[in-house]
Amino acid sequence: MADIALSAVITMAVEIAANLVISEGSGLYWLQEHINWIEREMKRIQSYLEDADAKEVRGRGVANLINDIKDLAHDVEDVLDKFLPQMASRKRKTGLLSCARTSTCTLLTCNCYVERKFAMEIEKIRQRVADIDRSRTTYGITSDGDRAEKDAWDSRRPFLHADEQHIIGFDKDIQKLEAKLLNVESKYDVISIVGMPGLGKTTLAKKVFKSIKHRFECSAMVYVSQEPNPREIMKDIARQVGLDQKEKREEYLETSLYEFLEEKRYIIMLDDIWDNETWDAMKICIPIKFANGGRILLTSRNSGVGRYIGGESSLHELVPLNPNDSWKLFSKMVMDPVRNTDEVCVPPELNDVSRQIIERCGGLPLAIVLTTSLLLSREKTEHAWKGVLGNMGQGEGDKLTKILDLSYKDLPIRLKPCFLYFGLFPESHEISVFQLVNLWVAEKLISASETSGDRTVEDMGEDYLNNLVSRNLIQVVSRRFDGRIRSCRIHDVLHNFCISIAVGSNFFNTLSNISSHSSMRVRRFTTHLSSITKLTSLKHQTPKLRGLLCFNKEGILGVEQPRKIFKEFIFLRVLSIECRLGQYLSVPNEIGNFIHFSYLGLSGNWHAKFPATICNLKNLLTLDAGKCMLLSLPTSIWQMKQLRHLILPATVVFHTPIVGGCKIKNRDMLPIEASLPDLQTLFLVCDDRLRANWLYNFVSLRKLGISYSTEQIIEVLSASTPISDKLENMRLVWSLLYLQECPMTKFDFSHYQNLYKLHLEGSMGKLPNPDTFPPNLTKLTLRMTAFDEESMEAMKKLPKLRILKMQEGSYKGKSIVCFGVQDFPQLEVLQIRGEPHLEELVTEESAMPKLRKLTISSCKNLSTLSERLRNIMDDGKIV
């Protein structure tokens, strides 16, 4: 984890150095020298750590050295965070600083107290670097010492040829895989069994391989590993398939093995292949046209590797065991691991603790097997087994942790902190990708320097997540209509692993491991089922806190805790609180001092008023308060140019500005103009202080949601020039109580080429002409629109509509009848809910040709449904 801290410092130093333009003769030349020195020295140290990691250096001396380096990197980050904003602020106040990227001739003045303090801190850092280097040299701590032997005995190799006594829960997988591999006409030439560590990929592959290998002319089963020797692997394959002559296996290996296999119907099992490069080195020996029915069966933790070798259709994703199969495996292993019999049972007095142990294993066969091996060495008593339960996931040296650690170490350095961040969330928590990515961005775990073209840091964040999913470290819970991940979670076993790594490296802490001693260096803190009272009581001992996350939806938070947070954690970058607030909160003015604040997420029954000083937060990127009850914000929030995501609750009010000691009551006299050029997400309720033409200033908008939309807003959105060419998702809600006429009479969104998702909610009577819809509209949701049958005919003609959701009161017609291929030509998903007028839903065979999913609920008068549609429904019933 020291390498992660160093990366953050190096990135910061590079960005600062890029903004310092100082002539060599300037009296301020020392500042650039200091920054350049930090960058150079941190890179040198990082190179040392990467070298040590590559050589798998071990030993207490190296561990202590790495801890010293980690503390040093954090302290350098603290110095930069503390002093550079102070120096910039001083010059702004004197009128010498116009922006953050002004030349340093105007950035600093000589003989300033702050600058002298900064120089003193840098000198201390220099001394510590010298001390670390001296200790490394004096005590012989080098990257060549205590090296783990690369060719050490690996238990996985003989395991390939050992027989499994208990294989449970794989029956359907075995049948499916055998059928694919044995079918001569099958397109499945390559089968890639993929999944997270510990699922039993190798066990399943061995079982399938051994049961069908006699059906092939030759076979081979080899272990690839994380650091393979491709030539030795290919020599092993040559020996197993029967390439007899030694010179062919040695001198002419590639050609001889390729020609040999080209004439055979073979099956080759490649266990535990980690990367594409290994396959590229091996495929020159293996015919990949499979003309004679050759098959490759491989296992990998990385779905991307399987996809690269065999394509998407080759993937066979393994999932955790269900509770019933987990219990069967546990019972057999712990009660009678030798005899293969079903007649085993756990004593009744151990049932409860056994269920708890199985739950902690999370359906991972490896976790169950390793845990039962511990239980077998204990007495069969509740006390002894609870001792094992309490220690699960705590031992750094246990086998499961070592196996998981292989996947962690294989991650690129930029992905390691992103992976560890999952440990901040509660166990089994469904995590919003929108929240997750914006937390990463706020924490500077994603660098803007990695983006190019129109790609944003949020796009990079989704790439990072897809990489973790491909490596089977993160599970997808739900996807959006376009296939992008909407929500995800981490397996409980990996969650425990994240916490153990993060706490050990001081990446974050929890209530259970924080202490008065360790709190001095706490960088991030998370609490799940308890309040943050303990942390706020230790405030003076957590001066370096960067992130605070609280997940306790049912907990009640007193107003004193948030007041302390908003006043005193001045280095805070991230604050996310999900809980109930005991009473109305007036956020103190000191929140404006949080110069590093980048993410604010509030959820619960919050009634809070933010002062005008919130607009001093020049680094605030995300304000997500959509799930609050009531929020009061200053109107000047519309001038926070750096904001990227603004999500406001259903009830939000804006402070009436004060000019000359008097409140302005006429909205036309508001002394502000909205300017949010980087805003990508905006969800809000219309307020009489919001001008419709402000939307023209949101040129980067991707997602827009407006409740109680006005005629003026619809006019602006329907103008010939789009408010943003990047707009992808729009949600409009209106009520005729506040409008003279339906705003959709002026509807024309045909200019929004990238608008794929549209939600319309409110009475319309008639839908607009199909030509006025976005030309690439893919998903349409309608609610309370009450459109008629004539409008339905128009909607059938939308050329690219794939998903249609008709929700409560969207349709007042009695029937929906589709005749030919021109009716909903691309529709794949149709959801109808809460339509009491609907009596008939009929389609001909040619209509809705691509429909694959149909859901109907709360349509009490629907009596006629086509047989074809009934067959498409999951259970054939209307709920």
Side-chain angles (χ1 to χ4, degrees):
M1 284 302 298
D3 48 0
I4 296 173
L6 284 166
S7 292
V9 173
I10 292 169
T11 300
M12 185 183 300
V14 170
E15 291 177 353
I16 294 170
N19 297 329
L20 297 180
V21 184
I22 307 175
S23 62
E24 188 168 346
S26 167
L28 305 177
Y29 189 68
W30 59 269
L31 175 61
Q32 186 154 12
E33 276 295 297
H34 282 324
I35 299 299
N36 291 341
W37 175 83
I38 289 173
E39 180 188 350
R40 290 194 306 270
E41 202 62 34
M42 295 301 108
K43 284 183 176 179
R44 289 192 187 108
I45 296 174
Q46 187 178 49
S47 296
Y48 168 80
L49 292 176
E50 290 175 350
D51 187 46
D53 186 63
K55 295 179 179 179
E56 296 186 7
V57 177
R58 300 290 184 266
R60 185 172 298 177
V62 173
N64 291 335
L65 179 66
I66 290 175
N67 284 333
D68 290 341
I69 292 173
K70 175 191 66 181
D71 291 342
L72 172 70
H74 282 155
D75 290 342
V76 173
E77 184 181 25
D78 293 339
V79 169
L80 296 178
D81 276 347
K82 179 179 180 180
F83 286 100
L84 292 177
Q86 288 183 24
M87 291 187 285
S89 176
R90 288 174 64 88
K91 304 311 161 288
R92 277 195 294 267
K93 292 178 181 178
T94 58
L96 295 177
L97 179 63
S98 59
C99 67
R101 294 186 178 271
T102 314
S103 70
T104 312
C105 290
T106 61
L107 176 66
L108 300 171
T109 59
C110 296
N111 302 319
C112 172
Y113 172 77
V114 176
E115 282 85 337
R116 289 199 302 272
K117 289 285 290 183
F118 176 69
M120 291 171 61
E121 292 296 330
I122 294 298
E123 190 57 39
K124 292 178 183 178
I125 297 295
R126 286 178 179 269
Q127 185 59 48
R128 287 175 61 185
V129 170
D131 290 342
I132 288 174
D133 188 59
R134 184 167 52 251
S135 297
R136 182 175 64 85
T137 304
T138 301
Y139 299 106
I141 306 172
T142 67
S143 58
D144 295 322
D146 299 326
R147 177 176 172 177
E149 290 296 330
K150 293 288 184 183
D151 298 325
W153 180 81
D154 191 327
S155 61
R156 291 287 297 273
R157 297 181 188 276
F159 172 75
L160 272 184
H161 302 280
D163 290 326
E164 296 284 332
Q165 290 183 317
H166 303 299
I167 300 178
I168 294 174
F170 290 155
D171 293 345
K172 292 182 179 179
D173 297 282
I174 292 171
Q175 293 175 8
K176 187 175 182 180
L177 292 175
E178 288 182 354
K180 287 182 177 180
L181 291 167
L182 292 175
N183 185 352
V184 179
E185 299 179 356
S186 172
K187 62 179 180 179
Y188 300 104
D189 304 316
V190 177
I191 298 293
S192 308
I193 303 176
V194 296
M196 66 174 287
L199 281 176
K201 300 182 293 295
T202 300
T203 298
L204 173 61
K206 282 171 49 184
K207 176 66 175 178
V208 172
F209 175 84
K210 290 183 176 182
S211 66
I212 65 171
K213 67 177 183 178
H214 66 281
R215 307 281 291 273
F216 294 82
E217 295 179 70
C218 59
S219 62
M221 177 172 57
V222 293
Y223 173 58
V224 180
S225 82
Q226 197 171 9
E227 295 183 356
N229 183 327
R231 184 169 180 82
E232 289 301 317
I233 293 172
M234 299 314 298
K235 287 167 64 176
D236 192 7
I237 291 175
R239 179 185 57 78
Q240 292 188 47
V241 298
L243 190 60
D244 294 330
Q245 298 179 22
K246 185 176 181 181
E247 61 271 17
K248 288 185 177 182
R249 294 203 304 266
E250 297 284 348
E251 192 171 347
Y252 307 106
L253 175 64
E254 290 82 1
T255 302
S256 300
L257 182 57
Y258 186 95
E259 293 176 350
F260 180 85
L261 292 176
E262 198 172 26
E263 303 297 326
K264 303 288 185 180
R265 185 166 184 257
Y266 63 86
I267 181 169
I268 296 174
M269 174 181 158
L270 306 175
D271 181 46
D272 198 29
I273 184 168
W274 283 76
D275 52 57
N276 301 339
E277 291 74 18
T278 300
W279 169 249
D280 288 339
M282 295 170 58
K283 67 182 182 182
I284 59 175
C285 301
I286 302 176
I288 56 176
K289 294 183 179 180
F290 307 103
N292 293 318
R295 298 288 186 264
I296 293 178
L297 176 64
L298 66 90
T299 71
S300 180
R301 304 183 185 195
N302 192 332
S303 298
V305 173
R307 195 175 287 113
Y308 178 80
I309 297 174
E312 189 73 34
S313 62
S314 76
L315 300 184
H316 182 89
E317 297 184 7
L318 214 52
V319 298
L321 298 177
N322 60 45
N324 186 47
D325 287 334
S326 295
W327 178 258
K328 287 182 180 179
L329 178 60
F330 177 86
S331 300
K332 285 189 175 184
M333 292 300 298
V334 80
M335 299 309 297
D336 198 343
V338 178
R339 288 191 304 148
N340 190 8
T341 174
D342 292 330
E343 298 179 2
V344 294
C345 61
V346 176
E349 65 273 14
L350 297 178
N351 266 347
D352 288 343
V353 66
S354 296
R355 298 286 182 187
Q356 294 177 55
I357 290 173
I358 292 172
E359 185 177 357
R360 290 291 299 275
C361 291
L364 292 188
L366 179 61
I368 295 174
V369 170
L370 293 176
T371 304
T372 54
S373 67
L374 292 175
L375 295 175
L376 287 170
S377 65
R378 305 293 198 276
E379 295 181 355
K380 287 185 172 58
T381 64
E382 184 178 14
H383 177 75
W385 283 24
K386 280 189 174 181
V388 173
L389 174 63
N391 289 325
M392 288 182 68
Q394 304 298 316
E396 294 184 0
D398 66 81
K399 294 181 180 179
L400 181 58
T401 298
K402 290 180 179 178
I403 291 172
L404 299 178
D405 198 47
L406 290 175
S407 290
Y408 176 71
K409 288 184 176 180
D410 188 59
L411 288 173
I413 188 171
R414 67 182 185 278
L415 286 185
K416 288 181 178 179
C418 295
F419 172 67
L420 293 183
Y421 217 87
F422 283 89
L424 285 161
F425 294 88
E427 195 173 80
S428 302
H429 186 73
E430 183 173 340
I431 304 168
S432 161
V433 171
F434 175 83
Q435 178 189 22
L436 177 69
V437 169
N438 286 315
L439 285 169
W440 285 349
V441 172
E443 291 268 25
K444 301 182 183 298
L445 303 184
I446 305 172
S447 174
S449 62
E450 297 183 42
T451 61
S452 60
D454 292 333
R455 287 180 58 77
T456 65
V457 287
E458 290 83 0
D459 296 329
M460 289 297 302
E462 290 192 26
D463 289 346
Y464 283 17
L465 177 61
N466 286 327
N467 196 325
L468 293 172
V469 169
S470 179
R471 293 169 180 269
N472 290 290
L473 294 173
I474 302 301
Q475 302 169 341
V476 175
V477 176
S478 63
R479 292 186 181 272
R480 300 184 184 278
F481 70 97
D482 55 2
R484 292 158 60 191
I485 303 172
R486 181 195 304 275
S487 62
C488 58
R489 68 162 53 95
I490 184 170
H491 190 280
D492 291 350
V493 171
L494 282 169
H495 183 265
N496 291 334
F497 173 77
C498 273
I499 293 176
S500 66
I501 296 294
V503 170
S505 60
N506 196 34
F507 184 73
F508 68 75
N509 294 83
T510 65
L511 270 179
S512 61
N513 59 59
I514 194 171
S515 66
S516 58
H517 173 71
S518 64
S519 64
M520 289 298 296
R521 289 194 169 274
V522 169
R523 313 294 286 187
R524 298 169 188 86
F525 180 82
T526 182
T527 176
H528 301 160
L529 298 178
S530 54
S531 72
I532 57 176
T533 305
K534 181 177 179 180
L535 180 69
T536 54
S537 68
L538 292 173
K539 182 276 314 170
H540 60 284
Q541 298 175 343
T542 53
K544 301 182 179 182
L545 193 68
R546 295 307 202 275
L548 174 58
L549 286 77
C550 177
F551 302 91
N552 189 8
K553 293 181 179 180
E554 302 303 319
I556 299 178
L557 187 66
V559 295
E560 287 306 314
Q561 278 73 47
R563 281 176 182 161
K564 286 184 177 181
I565 293 170
F566 289 130
K567 280 185 177 182
E568 297 165 349
F569 292 124
I570 61 172
F571 283 125
L572 208 60
R573 291 176 183 167
V574 164
L575 177 63
S576 178
I577 301 181
E578 295 181 11
C579 67
R580 297 164 60 194
L581 193 62
Q583 61 191 89
Y584 182 83
L585 171 66
S586 180
V587 177
N589 289 327
E590 285 84 353
I591 189 175
N593 297 329
F594 282 38
I595 53 178
H596 304 290
F597 212 16
S598 295
Y599 180 98
L600 177 58
L602 304 174
S603 177
N605 67 333
W606 284 68
H607 291 66
K609 179 180 180 180
F610 283 83
T613 55
I614 190 176
C615 299
N616 295 338
L617 306 179
K618 303 304 181 184
N619 290 304
L620 186 63
L621 303 177
T622 300
L623 173 55
D624 186 354
K627 296 181 181 179
C628 291
M629 294 291 291
L630 172 65
L631 211 62
S632 179
L633 294 168
T635 52
S636 50
I637 196 155
W638 297 107
Q639 291 184 310
M640 297 182 68
K641 295 183 178 182
Q642 79 289 346
L643 265 179
R644 300 175 72 86
H645 307 281
L646 181 59
I647 304 174
L648 301 177
T651 307
V652 60
V653 295
F654 294 94
H655 304 172
T656 302
I658 298 177
V659 177
C662 300
K663 289 186 177 181
I664 295 178
K665 296 183 179 180
N666 186 345
R667 73 186 287 265
D668 294 329
M669 294 176 61
L670 284 176
I672 67 166
E673 177 69 24
S675 178
L676 298 172
D678 294 331
L679 193 68
Q680 296 184 28
T681 306
L682 175 62
F683 286 92
L684 79 161
V685 177
C686 265
D687 180 272
D688 62 357
R689 292 176 174 81
L690 304 181
R691 300 191 182 111
N693 62 0
W694 284 0
L695 292 174
Y696 287 121
N697 298 329
F698 307 152
V699 295
S700 299
L701 211 57
R702 290 187 172 190
K703 299 177 183 178
L704 173 64
I706 302 179
S707 296
Y708 301 112
S709 304
T710 65
E711 297 170 41
Q712 293 77 17
I713 285 177
I714 300 301
E715 288 180 3
V716 169
L717 292 173
S718 300
S720 59
T721 302
I723 62 170
S724 169
D725 292 329
K726 302 174 183 178
L727 194 63
E728 302 172 353
N729 181 348
M730 184 156 61
R731 176 188 178 95
L732 298 176
V733 181
W734 63 90
S735 171
L736 293 182
L737 293 175
Y738 302 95
L739 300 171
Q740 295 179 356
E741 60 176 322
C742 174
M744 291 297 109
T745 57
K746 303 173 182 178
F747 174 106
D748 186 358
F749 297 160
S750 59
H751 304 292
Y752 291 91
Q753 297 292 324
N754 293 315
L755 185 55
Y756 305 113
K757 181 179 178 181
L758 180 62
H759 178 113
L760 302 176
E761 183 172 337
S763 180
M764 298 173 65
K766 289 184 179 295
L767 281 180
N769 187 294
D771 294 337
T772 62
F773 277 90
N776 295 304
L777 184 65
T778 302
K779 180 178 180 180
L780 176 62
T781 301
L782 303 169
R783 186 173 184 272
M784 305 301 292
T785 49
F787 66 91
D788 55 20
E789 294 183 359
E790 182 181 347
S791 298
M792 174 60 74
E793 292 302 314
M795 191 164 56
K796 294 176 185 178
K797 311 307 177 187
L798 294 175
K800 297 184 179 181
L801 189 66
R802 289 172 42 211
I803 302 171
L804 174 60
K805 293 188 175 183
M806 298 169 53
Q807 299 176 350
E808 291 81 0
S810 64
Y811 185 55
K812 63 182 180 182
K814 292 185 177 181
S815 65
I816 300 176
V817 180
C818 299
F819 290 107
V821 292
Q822 73 278 3
D823 289 351
F824 294 115
Q826 301 296 325
L827 195 67
E828 299 176 13
V829 177
L830 175 60
Q831 179 190 94
I832 303 176
R833 185 181 74 203
E835 304 296 351
H837 301 288
L838 186 62
E839 298 177 359
E840 181 184 37
L841 179 57
V842 178
T843 66
E844 291 186 351
E845 287 297 320
S846 59
M848 299 186 189
K850 296 187 177 182
L851 190 67
R852 57 180 175 80
K853 184 175 182 180
L854 173 64
T855 305
I856 302 175
S857 61
S858 302
C859 298
K860 60 182 180 181
N861 292 316
L862 181 60
S863 57
T864 303
L865 183 66
S866 296
E867 186 65 25
R868 171 174 172 255
L869 297 180
R870 196 177 294 276
N871 291 334
I872 292 175
M873 295 174 66
D874 291 339
D875 54 8
K877 297 179 181 179
I878 301 173
V879 181

